[in-house]
Amino acid sequence: MGGCHNGEIALRNLDLRSYRNAHHWRVEETAESLFFIDVALPNPTSKSMESLLRMTDQCHQRVRAVLDIGSEIKDKERQHRVNTWLYAPGLLAKADFARPDIPRMFYGTVNSAGLHLVTRGLDWDDPIVFEGVLHEVIHFWWADQVGEAPSLLNEGVAVYFEHILGVDAEKGRETMNNLWQEYTCKAKPGFLRRLCKNDVFWTEEAAGEPVYEIGGQFVSFLLDTYGLPSIKRIFLKSYFDDPAIPEHIEEVIGEPLGSLEKKIALY
């Protein structure tokens, strides 16, 4: 997956509202979105920016289709006008995430104000940006329907559907499976329950462990075995820092997490 996952946490913890209120914005309206473009960005009407606007609209349409979101959309107007904020790279310094050792990066996050996107050293039509936007659009529509759960499931849903909607879905699924096998060879039994804790998930992610893909493989197994409505029920019972998420999963699925670990190894 492109981009830097820790950047999402950095932006989540930043006071984005204060930044937005203190800056000026150009507004571009498309069929699906209202784009607020930081005036500090160069060439706001460039071809790369036009590609981003067009591609983001396509992402909204494809994501709603794959998530089976139709007439039940809670806010009909939002289907056509999702706020998308494009920030200048200077935002990263305010997030204390301006890493000179990684000059080409994409960062994104989602909250009630919409999608928040920033790049450094990348054109807006770079494939890494497109992958990252798709990831955030999945987060947006999934949360719009069923809210959030701890990061293992939040990111697992986004990674799984990102692979499904990517250029090579089969390769994406193979990648998730291979990383699951590599991770589980060294992980102690009970790792799924541990990764349900956000602090453990993000600590392992910061250490370079493929926990995004572990979540993606977990979601892949749940979808294939129990179906999309079951995963939605888990989310509807939960919230972002929910310490009871293992119990919610076990209640909906009807099996302990330890049993699921063994089944997924043979999946």
Side-chain angles (χ1 to χ4, degrees), residues 19 23-26 28 36-53 86-91 117-125:
Y19 184 95
H23 288 70
H24 297 287
W25 304 86
R26 296 180 176 91
E28 294 287 339
F36 297 88
I37 305 171
D38 196 328
V39 295
L41 286 170
N43 303 317
T45 58
S46 66
K47 289 185 177 179
S48 69
M49 185 73 74
E50 291 175 358
S51 295
L52 174 73
L53 271 57
L86 307 181
Y87 298 90
L91 175 70
L117 314 174
V118 56
T119 73
R120 185 178 65 217
L122 294 169
D123 291 330
W124 286 104
D125 59 356

Side-chain angles (χ1 to χ4, degrees), residues 7 60 62 73 143 154 171 229 251:
H60 284 299
R62 295 172 64 201
I73 291 175
N154 271 349
K171 182 178 180 181
E251 177 187 352

